[in-house]
């Protein structure tokens, strides 16, 4: 029974039609991070931020899990390995593919958060800052998304899992944003073997013990097939 920690990024959802961030047609080519992905941007113009996330929520709802999401769910369902998926993504494609053991370290489009009292509740399809918080009633509703300058969720759990893993796999992430971009170094320092599955070499690709480059819907099912065939 191997303990496998799998980090995913926008690249695993790209073939489901969900835009990535740093490609030539990426979201950060069209929107300034400081306007739509920081607490300061939200304080300055909450309507702009809600328009950005309402559009991403609609895009995620219109998308379907692809063969890469399904392969990771199959690896977990097989039961011979303990699989933890740590995703930077805020879409729900891992859940809809059947992955159970999942941490959304950057939050999710499915969550609403009160910037006043911290209450959380299921997000409506189209969210407005004036939506009253169900707990305190204040019109300070924001997406439950971790913005730049905020601490990602459940980091102690993630670092502990990385230290105790038998294998760390990074899928579909450019390795530009910390702390996720540091997971390969954390794994390496703990003596955990590392594998990168990505369309092209990430910023940290040289730190990985092994790497396979290609579309996630090809390289991820290929790797899972090998894992399941090997342990028969
Ligand atoms: N298959 C596999 N990998 C792909 C595919 C694909 N079809 N398409 C793109 N990729 C890879 C790209 O090569 C790139 O390395 O996915 C990666 C996407 O990189 P980014 O757009 O930077 O997305 P990500 O790494 O998830 O960004 C991390 O940055 O803006 C913040 O919070 C945001 O969670 C996000 C974080």
């Amino acid at each position: 029974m191997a303990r496998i920690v799998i980090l995913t990024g926008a690249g695993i959802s790209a073939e489901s039609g969900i835009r990535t961030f740093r490609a030539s047609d990426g979201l950060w080519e069209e929107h300034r991070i400081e306007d739509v992905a920081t607490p300061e941007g939200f304080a300055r113009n909450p309507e702009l931020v809600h328009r950005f996330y309402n559009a991403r929520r609609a895009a995620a709802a219109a998308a379907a899990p692809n063969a890469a999401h399904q392969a990771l769910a199959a690896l977990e369902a097989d039961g011979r390995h303990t699989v933890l998926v740590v995703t930077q993504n805020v879409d729900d494609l891992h859940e809809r593919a059947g992955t159970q053991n999942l941490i959304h370290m950057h939050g999710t489009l499915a969550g609403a958060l009160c910037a006043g009292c911290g209450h959380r509740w299921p997000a409506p399809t189209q969210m407005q800052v004036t939506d009253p918080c169900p707990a305190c009633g204040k019109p300070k509703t924001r997406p439950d998304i971790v913005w730049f300058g905020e601490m990602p969720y459940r980091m102690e759990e993630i670092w502990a899992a990385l230290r105790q893993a038998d294998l760390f796999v990074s899928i579909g992430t450019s390795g530009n944003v910390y702390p996720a971009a540091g997971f390969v170094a954390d794994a390496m320092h703990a003596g955990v073997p590392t594998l990168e599955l990505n369309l092209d070499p990430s910023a940290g690709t040289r730190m990985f013990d092994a790497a396979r480059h290609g579309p996630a819907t090809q390289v991820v099912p290929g790797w899972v097939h090998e894992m399941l065939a090997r342990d028969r």
Side-chain angles (χ1 to χ4, degrees):
M1 168 75 81
R3 291 160 302 189
I4 307 172
V5 174
I6 300 171
L7 170 69
T8 64
I12 199 170
S13 296
E15 290 163 271
S16 295
I18 292 185
R19 294 173 70 182
T20 64
F21 294 94
R22 294 172 180 83
S24 52
D25 62 346
L27 284 167
W28 297 150
E29 293 303 312
E30 242 173 75
H31 305 271
R32 287 169 7 118
I33 286 177
E34 52 272 34
D35 290 343
V36 296
T38 63
E40 297 77 12
F42 180 70
R44 240 189 345 265
N45 189 343
E47 290 74 19
L48 173 68
V49 172
H50 278 302
R51 271 203 303 279
F52 177 66
Y53 286 99
N54 287 340
R56 293 183 65 197
R57 195 171 295 108
N66 61 50
H69 299 102
Q70 285 153 2
L72 297 188
L75 180 64
E76 179 186 33
D78 172 77
R80 278 174 291 165
H81 300 292
T82 304
V83 179
L84 169 63
V85 175
V86 178
T87 188
Q88 300 173 92
N89 299 339
V90 294
D91 63 54
D92 60 351
L93 298 186
H94 282 302
E95 294 91 321
R96 286 161 57 193
T99 287
Q100 310 272 325
N101 199 13
L102 173 65
I103 295 178
H104 275 280
M105 63 183 287
H106 289 168
T108 87
L109 291 166
L113 170 65
C114 176
C117 72
H119 179 69
R120 286 184 166 82
W121 67 98
T125 313
Q126 296 294 304
M127 193 188 290
Q128 318 299 336
V129 65
T130 48
D131 295 345
C133 166
C136 75
K138 290 199 183 76
K140 292 178 172 256
T141 298
R142 59 169 276 186
D144 188 9
I145 300 276
V146 178
W147 285 328
F148 286 88
E150 296 182 324
M151 188 63 187
Y153 293 146
R154 300 172 61 182
M155 287 310 305
E156 291 315 316
E157 266 180 85
I158 295 168
W159 277 317
L162 275 173
R163 284 192 296 272
Q164 294 149 22
D166 299 300
L167 176 64
F168 169 65
V169 185
S170 176
I171 300 173
T173 183
S174 60
N176 279 303
V177 175
Y178 286 82
F183 289 174
V184 58
D186 299 329
M188 190 177 66
H189 294 145
V192 176
T194 58
L195 169 65
E196 174 175 86
L197 303 177
N198 205 55
L199 185 63
D200 27 48
S202 71
T205 197
R206 281 187 307 283
M207 300 186 80
F208 285 86
D209 297 316
R212 299 181 190 179
H213 296 132
T217 55
Q218 290 169 29
V219 296
V220 177
W223 169 69
V224 167
H225 177 76
E226 282 172 26
M227 289 295 287
L228 296 180
R230 194 181 63 188
D231 305 328
R232 283 221 178 286

